[in-house]
Amino acid sequence: PNSPEEELHALAPRLIEIAKMIVDGSSNKTIANHQGVTENTIKTQVRRLYQKTGVSTRSQFISKFLSPIRNME
């Protein structure tokens, strides 16, 4: 299996930006406002992000990617 770092680098830049905002604790509404899209668009992108990274909840995502995302910055 790929490491969390490899999974992140395989994502589209927009999904990486959303991932960073999730790890920073941003809500879907905040992410949507930042991206200039609707909250439903972000919900769809977050679901896609979870599918691509093998998690099913926000807390699982943060637990898996907190360190790798911090190391990217």
Side-chain angles (χ1 to χ4, degrees):
N2 291 335
S3 70
E5 291 83 358
E6 291 170 326
E7 290 182 52
L8 281 175
H9 288 290
L11 297 173
R14 186 175 192 125
L15 287 179
I16 292 172
E17 186 173 346
I18 292 169
K20 287 178 181 180
M21 292 185 77
I22 290 171
V23 167
D24 287 341
S26 297
S27 67
N28 287 347
K29 186 174 185 170
T30 300
I31 297 169
N33 289 337
H34 183 265
Q35 297 274 330
V37 297
T38 67
E39 192 172 351
N40 281 336
T41 297
I42 293 301
K43 287 179 183 177
T44 299
Q45 291 177 328
V46 168
R47 273 196 306 273
R48 186 174 301 128
L49 190 56
Y50 291 175
Q51 289 171 343
K52 288 179 179 268
T53 59
V55 301
S56 55
T57 67
R58 209 172 197 91
S59 59
Q60 286 177 340
F61 185 86
I62 292 169
S63 177
K64 183 174 182 177
F65 291 103
L66 179 64
S67 291
I69 285 178
R70 293 287 186 250
N71 290 336
M72 287 178 79
E73 297 176 342

